[in-house]
Amino acid sequence: MAIGSPEHPLSQAFALAEDRYVPLSALVELTNACNVDCEHCYLDLIPDSKIGALATEDWRRIFRELKAEGCLFLTLSGGELLVRKDWYELATYARRLGFALRLYTNGTLIDDRAADRIRDLKPLGVEISLLGGIALTHDAVVRRRGAFEKTLAGIRRLRERKVPVLLKCVVMRRNAHEVDTLRELGQRLGCEVYFDLEISPKNNGSIEPTTLAPEEDVFVQAARNVLGDEPDGGYLDGIPRAERLASAPCGAGRRTCHVGPTGDVHACTQWTRSLGNLRHTSFHDVWHHSTDLALIRRTRIQDFPVCASCELLNVCAPCMALSLLEQGTIDGPSPTKCRSAELRAQALGRPGRSAWLAQQSHLGEVSVPAGASSVLVGLRRKDGRALSVSS
């Protein structure tokens, strides 16, 4: 039975958690500091001392509070996770509490000692950003000379210790021609490779990352390359429209959450408005009494006035966080998602118009950010795994 199928026990657990508002999965960003400076990053990379990052004991308490609310899957991330001197202490404590652990890292700081420690944690997996198939490309994206070789060395150390590693690549204009090279490299390293070409604005509102996306012909090529003979992309066609309209946009704030390095709780990593701060209150109080969370939980796609009438709803996933970031309201539309839907439809051989873009075009108000030659597209395989490609 495939993990993505509704009958799989894990899928049923996710559905039950979402229905009962159990934070089954939490992503914790321990730091915003990083030893590289990826040109597409949605974060402002600022040293912990300048933002007032939480101390070790604060995180221990937060982990206990997450556990008490039913959290099972815990992802530790950054910035760069290994920049924090107490990363292993906190990861060990999380495992002691019984969390199923996942680590996000750029891999450059994984020496033999760090690799031994990660092996001993027995994580579900380690996800490592590899942003080019050759050093010249990867180092240009992360803006650090020598990063590619350090990342590969870290990956090899983990694989020698049988640690499962997923390589992640945000596909941009700079590296789009290296997709096959990255696949082959992943095979040699014994790693799966996940390609994500949906580039979002920065959390501070800057649209600069979106200007890095590939051209339209590259998007079409990438979509055909990955989807092969699956013309519908296995996306959302099998779900009746009425059922989609009555469903929640996503699991954010319902069965998943995010905690930032200063203790702010968010529905997800790109939710820009704090739901509460864990320096001053408990996770229980935030999770059960936040007025913003109450709004998120009662929102359905049918409450998005433009999205609900859009002909491209079957190939789109409306996003409350992006709507809030781009428009200041959670009920859409998100210009990023609207442009994504049009290109996704084109890639799947069923071109159409986004309701919002059609309206803006009629009003003569459509604009593309200066320097942005492309927009963002997300696709999903029939096995449930996400694929995002950009145009």
Side-chain angles (χ1 to χ4, degrees):
M1 184 185 300
I3 292 179
S5 68
E7 295 79 18
H8 193 280
L10 193 56
S11 298
Q12 294 178 348
F14 287 156
L16 184 62
E18 189 165 332
D19 184 58
R20 297 184 179 181
Y21 308 142
V22 176
L24 194 65
S25 177
L27 189 150
V28 167
E29 288 178 345
L30 295 176
T31 178
N32 275 358
C34 190
N35 63 322
V36 300
D37 184 21
C38 297
E39 59 184 352
H40 62 284
C41 186
Y42 65 89
L43 292 173
D44 290 316
L45 304 177
I46 305 173
D48 289 348
S49 59
K50 291 189 176 182
I51 64 171
L54 296 174
T56 306
E57 287 307 312
D58 293 323
W59 283 116
R60 285 173 173 263
R61 171 181 57 81
I62 290 168
F63 290 175
R64 294 193 297 269
E65 292 177 359
L66 285 168
K67 187 66 179 178
E69 291 301 315
C71 184
L72 175 60
F73 301 98
L74 185 67
T75 299
L76 301 183
S77 181
E80 169 49 42
L81 170 65
L82 272 64
V83 164
R84 275 200 64 132
K85 294 180 179 179
D86 60 353
W87 74 268
Y88 181 64
E89 178 183 349
L90 288 172
T92 302
Y93 188 72
R95 290 292 290 125
R96 195 177 305 144
L97 290 174
F99 286 109
L101 199 62
R102 192 173 297 275
L103 307 178
Y104 289 178
T105 173
N106 62 45
T108 60
L109 301 178
I110 300 177
D111 56 15
D112 285 330
R113 183 170 184 245
D116 286 343
R117 287 178 156 187
I118 291 172
R119 175 202 59 204
D120 295 344
L121 289 169
K122 296 181 173 60
L124 290 175
V126 178
E127 300 190 10
I128 295 181
S129 299
L130 192 62
L131 298 161
I134 61 175
L136 182 66
T137 304
H138 177 86
D139 290 357
V141 174
V142 306
R143 297 189 277 210
R144 291 291 186 275
R145 184 177 297 179
F148 181 75
E149 293 301 332
K150 291 179 181 178
T151 295
L152 288 187
I155 294 167
R156 292 190 178 103
R157 288 186 176 104
L158 292 179
R159 295 303 298 133
E160 288 167 1
R161 292 160 175 80
K162 310 301 182 185
V163 176
V165 175
L166 174 68
L167 305 181
K168 300 187 297 186
C169 178
V170 178
V171 181
M172 298 171 280
R173 189 181 305 112
R174 193 189 293 276
N175 62 18
H177 61 287
E178 295 174 17
V179 167
D180 288 336
T181 303
L182 277 161
R183 281 199 181 114
E184 293 168 3
L185 181 56
Q187 289 177 350
R188 293 200 301 271
L189 293 168
C191 305
E192 288 191 57
V193 184
Y194 168 73
F195 294 101
D196 182 1
L197 297 95
E198 183 163 319
I199 309 174
S200 300
K202 291 176 72 71
N203 279 4
N204 64 14
S206 168
I207 55 88
E208 184 176 356
T210 68
T211 69
L212 304 171
E215 304 292 344
E216 183 173 339
D217 59 338
V218 178
F219 157 69
V220 173
Q221 180 181 352
R224 289 173 179 168
N225 187 12
V226 176
L227 296 175
D229 59 356
E230 301 182 50
D232 65 356
Y235 201 66
L236 297 167
D237 283 347
I239 304 176
R241 187 178 181 88
E243 184 178 334
R244 282 225 64 211
L245 288 172
S247 67
C250 64
R254 299 164 62 85
R255 61 173 172 83
T256 67
C257 66
H258 164 266
V259 184
T262 61
D264 284 322
V265 180
H266 303 94
C268 65
T269 56
Q270 288 211 275
W271 189 269
T272 53
R273 192 162 63 202
S274 176
L275 304 172
N277 188 281
L278 300 185
R279 291 186 191 276
H280 314 299
T281 188
S282 68
F283 180 80
H284 174 90
D285 286 345
V286 173
W287 189 251
H288 292 285
H289 302 300
S290 164
T291 54
D292 275 355
L293 276 177
L295 176 60
I296 290 169
R297 290 166 182 168
R298 66 174 178 263
T299 298
R300 298 293 182 270
I301 293 176
Q302 64 194 11
D303 298 321
F304 288 58
V306 177
C307 304
S309 63
C310 185
E311 65 176 287
L312 299 182
L313 183 61
N314 65 326
V315 293
C316 184
C319 178
M320 293 180 286
L322 279 176
S323 294
L324 180 63
L325 177 60
E326 295 177 302
Q327 300 277 60
T329 177
I330 73 168
D331 59 359
S334 154
T336 291
K337 286 293 183 180
C338 292
R339 296 185 182 102
S340 296
E342 288 202 357
L343 289 176
R344 185 181 304 116
Q346 178 183 340
L348 297 176
R350 59 185 85 158
R353 289 308 311 274
S354 148
W356 181 77
L357 282 176
Q359 180 186 69
Q360 300 302 302
S361 180
H362 176 71
L363 296 174
E365 296 178 358
V366 170
S367 63
V368 177
S373 60
S374 52
V375 290
L376 318 174
V377 177
L379 299 170
R380 188 172 296 278
R381 292 177 179 271
K382 285 186 176 179
D383 63 7
R385 290 192 61 191
L387 161 74
S388 297
V389 295
S390 206
S391 166

